[in-house]
Amino acid sequence: MQLYHHQKLDIYNSLSGKKEQFKPINEGHVGMYVCGPTVYSNVHLGNVRTFMSFDMIFRYLKHLGYKVRYVRNITDAGHLENDADAGEDKITKKARLEQIEPMEIVQRYTVDFHNILNTFNFLPPSIEPTATGHIIEQIELIKNIIDNGFAYVANGSVYFDVHKYNENNDYGILSKRKLDDLIHNTRELDGQNDKKNPQDFALWKKAEPQHIMRWPSPWSDGFPGWHLECTAMSTKYLGDHFDIHGGGMDLKFPHHECEIAQNQAAKGQSPVNYWMHANMLQLNGQRMSKSTGNIVNPDELLSGNNNFFSKAFAPSVIRFFNAQAHYRSVLDLTDDGLLSSEKGFYRLMDAINLLDDLKASETSSIDIKSWKQSCYDAMNDDFNSPILIANLFEAVKYINQVKEGSQTLNSEDLSLLKETLNVFAFDVLGLKNVTKTDSGTDKLSAAVDILIKLRQDARANKDFALSDKIRDELAEAGIQLKDGKEGTTFSLS
RNA sequence: GGUGUCGUGGCCGAGUGGCUAGGCUCAGCUCUGCAAAAGCUGCUACAGCGGUUCGAAUCCGCUCGACACCUCCA
């Protein structure tokens, strides 16, 4: 009996604007697609936040017992930068500047992306397809859309006919826009001469002579339009209709709106049951942006090598910080915020590490079973990780109280508490148990234990000058002693 | 200009038509030789102005403000 049979999960669906009970198309199986990065530069920290949220969602679905196929693509084909650039795409442009092959750029930043995600303890997706590996599928899709009358060829390029589509379909169903409003509010842009209407978007773009990335097609040597790859790859691996599609809030329009239109036009059905959108990450109250300099890269955040933060932060601290906000809320990255999360994170880890030392009693004075269910209730409510964390801190209180002797747990509840904490802190939230003590070596802790013993002896002899000297000098060296009822422990600061 | 999200205590950040979110900070107490750590206690907020209601921070309207999208962006 899998957990999902008795844990009722609600998901906020951007399509309906409501929380809905999650019911997969095939019982026990979940198909989830998340729009991945464009690998033409180092991965953006905001991008990392989005993937971190979906990593947590992936982890929780798996924990519930679902067999999840999680597809997250790599966009390596290059998107049109803008129409004024006459078809030159971002990847080509960067390659030209650095005098190397486009695929060399792609390779470099794909490796960077994976390194960063590994550092943050991400689970790998089930499939990580690349856009360049699915050119044939994209061409086939375009043929379907043309055959069904929703696209037209113009000067070697193919465009999706939004106005035609909107006659019997709702272009704007996801982003809650009206085509009429779009018509009245679209700016005049150059280089759109081939399009019938400015709202139309490219399915295939003819390559200019200087364009290096190009593939043959029935219409021209060129490259696919930038919404098409996700339709091609999601349906190839998850089917024409699948459970969950995720991405950043800013992809809702036009990207995801176009995916719906493409799928509807090519396959006659809307592709996705549950659309999920993660919110933006800000830096000191402002959007991150290269042009204003208000930006920090993931590796700069981890190394402390930046102008925004007072110190380096461990990957798990950043994960914890992220999980303290709901995935649908804007999160503001600040030094104060990270520092306070860091303290809380280590307090949680210290408590978890105390578990093995706790002594079981005959009876329990705390209702661990209902505490455990409240952890599930939090996650079942649209993956509410902040409430989950509030519950984890309840457990911190329990652990410390049992240690102090003001509460008791029997051995059954003690192992249930331990098991549940491990599940949520490590399996679901993806934290790593990096305690301050763990950062030392066995030899260090043996040495500190000797000093602790010497200090005990000094205290027993009322030689407080010596005992305080040991304590204070260790503190100066970054080793903090903690006196408890059961003896003295230490942590590194 | 259009569309959408939102505005919570010293800070961060959940939630919700009547019942303590949680974290960090701060104060007091317990423990301690003194501290630290840990525990306990306290600090009772929901932008402003109207309205609906027995009752609203939670629903509605307006005002102000923030953010996102509308143009590459997670």
Side-chain angles (χ1 to χ4, degrees):
Chain A
M1 195 73 162
Q2 299 291 352
L3 278 173
Y4 61 75
H5 287 291
H6 36 264
Q7 298 293 347
K8 204 185 90 195
L9 174 64
D10 286 335
I11 294 181
Y12 180 89
N13 189 346
S14 300
L15 196 58
S16 64
K18 289 191 288 245
K19 283 181 195 168
E20 300 172 6
Q21 190 179 347
F22 178 63
K23 281 216 163 51
I25 294 164
N26 301 304
E27 196 197 310
H29 294 258
V30 178
M32 178 163 88
Y33 187 89
V34 172
C35 292
T38 303
V39 280
Y40 64 84
S41 64
N42 292 306
V43 61
H44 192 285
L45 195 59
N47 222 168
V48 172
R49 184 200 175 191
T50 298
F51 299 144
M52 209 176 263
S53 298
F54 284 104
D55 183 61
M56 177 189 77
I57 287 164
F58 178 43
R59 285 164 174 274
Y60 187 61
L61 290 170
K62 279 169 63 119
H63 171 69
L64 288 182
Y66 288 113
K67 203 158 182 276
V68 187
R69 179 177 290 172
Y70 173 28
V71 181
R72 187 186 63 212
N73 69 293
I74 298 265
T75 294
D76 58 351
H79 290 159
L80 286 171
E81 187 160 58
N82 58 47
D83 293 274
D85 252 4
E88 185 173 47
D89 73 38
K90 279 186 174 174
I91 287 170
T92 306
K93 195 172 183 185
K94 184 99 186 208
R96 194 89 34 80
L97 288 173
E98 302 191 0
Q99 293 293 310
I100 52 176
E101 277 295 319
M103 290 314 283
E104 200 175 340
I105 296 274
V106 163
Q107 175 70 15
R108 179 200 297 170
Y109 292 118
T110 300
V111 169
D112 169 75
F113 175 64
H114 286 145
N115 283 342
I116 294 288
L117 264 51
N118 283 336
T119 305
F120 281 113
N121 198 29
F122 276 62
L123 294 180
S126 323
I127 302 176
E128 193 169 45
T130 61
T132 54
H134 297 77
I135 301 293
I136 291 169
E137 286 83 351
Q138 295 181 70
I139 290 174
E140 289 305 307
L141 261 180
I142 297 171
K143 286 183 188 165
N144 282 345
I145 296 173
I146 293 175
D147 289 347
N148 292 338
F150 292 109
Y152 55 90
V153 182
N155 194 23
S157 294
V158 184
Y159 293 97
F160 191 95
D161 192 337
V162 170
H163 289 234
K164 173 80 186 301
Y165 173 79
N166 198 241
E167 286 171 11
N168 294 308
N169 298 278
D170 184 0
Y171 184 79
I173 189 172
L174 176 66
S175 56
K176 316 288 182 250
R177 283 157 214 266
K178 297 268 171 283
L179 184 57
D180 283 345
D181 294 337
L182 291 171
I183 292 167
H184 294 306
N185 290 311
T186 303
R187 293 185 203 171
E188 286 300 317
L189 293 171
D190 296 331
Q192 304 205 115
N193 304 334
D194 295 338
K195 289 188 191 176
K196 284 204 250 178
N197 295 291
Q199 293 74 39
D200 295 348
F201 54 90
L203 297 173
W204 188 262
K205 198 83 178 153
K206 181 182 174 181
E208 299 301 317
Q210 71 274 19
H211 199 100
I212 312 171
M213 283 190 133
R214 56 168 68 211
W215 292 266
S217 81
W219 313 285
S220 65
D221 275 11
F223 51 94
W226 71 284
H227 308 300
L228 199 60
E229 61 184 53
C230 287
T231 298
M233 291 184 275
S234 62
T235 56
K236 170 157 183 172
Y237 298 110
L238 300 174
D240 291 349
H241 190 73
F242 55 95
D243 296 300
I244 297 174
H245 190 130
M249 199 78 99
D250 50 353
L251 289 185
K252 210 191 238 184
F253 188 90
H255 187 57
H256 291 157
E257 195 70 61
C258 292
E259 275 190 64
I260 293 177
Q262 285 167 348
N263 213 74
Q264 193 78 44
K267 323 253 186 186
Q269 60 180 312
S270 191
V272 175
N273 278 152
Y274 302 88
W275 283 93
M276 298 182 69
H277 290 97
N279 217 319
M280 302 288 114
L281 180 69
Q282 297 183 349
L283 180 58
N284 292 324
Q286 307 234 289
R287 62 168 288 181
M288 289 200 209
S289 152
K290 269 184 196 167
S291 54
T292 61
N294 191 243
I295 192 162
V296 61
N297 287 334
D299 57 325
E300 293 170 340
L301 183 60
L302 294 168
S303 68
N305 182 24
N306 62 73
N307 297 323
F308 297 95
F309 299 100
S310 57
K311 63 190 290 287
F313 291 98
S316 283
V317 169
I318 294 161
R319 266 195 101 105
F320 186 74
F321 175 75
N322 186 232
Q324 278 187 303
H326 189 90
Y327 77 92
R328 282 192 289 115
S329 296
V330 174
L331 176 62
D332 189 13
L333 191 67
T334 62
D335 199 46
D336 284 349
L338 283 173
L339 287 169
S340 95
S341 284
E342 184 180 50
K343 282 190 185 162
F345 170 72
Y346 284 118
R347 204 159 79 85
L348 175 63
M349 291 302 129
D350 285 348
I352 288 175
N353 290 320
L354 274 177
L355 275 168
D356 285 334
D357 301 333
L358 293 187
K359 294 191 177 66
S361 304
E362 289 299 309
T363 56
S364 292
S365 58
I366 307 168
D367 185 351
I368 295 297
K369 284 199 179 67
S370 78
W371 167 79
K372 176 186 171 183
Q373 185 54 44
S374 65
C375 291
Y376 280 96
D377 290 345
M379 289 302 284
N380 290 341
D381 184 15
D382 194 30
F383 309 98
N384 198 324
S385 52
I387 297 287
L388 170 64
I389 287 175
N391 279 297
L392 298 185
F393 277 107
E394 284 301 304
V396 169
K397 200 198 271 184
Y398 299 160
I399 291 167
N400 285 318
Q401 286 173 338
V402 169
K403 187 189 162 218
E404 297 284 318
S406 63
Q407 301 276 7
T408 60
L409 288 176
N410 63 30
S411 60
E412 190 192 338
D413 281 339
L414 201 54
S415 49
L416 184 64
L417 175 65
K418 187 175 176 180
E419 181 195 313
T420 307
L421 273 172
N422 281 329
V423 161
F424 283 103
F426 305 123
D427 298 348
V428 174
L429 293 181
L431 303 173
K432 274 191 170 168
N433 194 345
V434 281
T435 63
K436 293 182 173 181
T437 316
D438 275 357
S439 58
T441 62
D442 289 348
K443 283 179 184 168
L444 174 66
S445 80
V448 174
D449 283 344
I450 293 169
L451 288 165
I452 287 173
K453 210 169 262 169
L454 286 173
R455 176 166 165 268
Q456 277 318 91
D457 294 345
R459 291 174 71 197
N461 296 328
K462 301 233 189 286
D463 184 356
F464 297 125
L466 177 60
S467 68
D468 286 356
K469 185 175 168 153
I470 291 171
R471 180 181 67 196
D472 297 343
E473 292 196 5
L474 279 175
E476 258 179 65
I479 296 168
Q480 186 199 24
L481 299 186
K482 301 185 203 177
D483 294 334
K485 285 218 167 73
E486 307 294 320
T488 303
T489 57
F490 74 96
S491 68
L492 307 181
S493 49

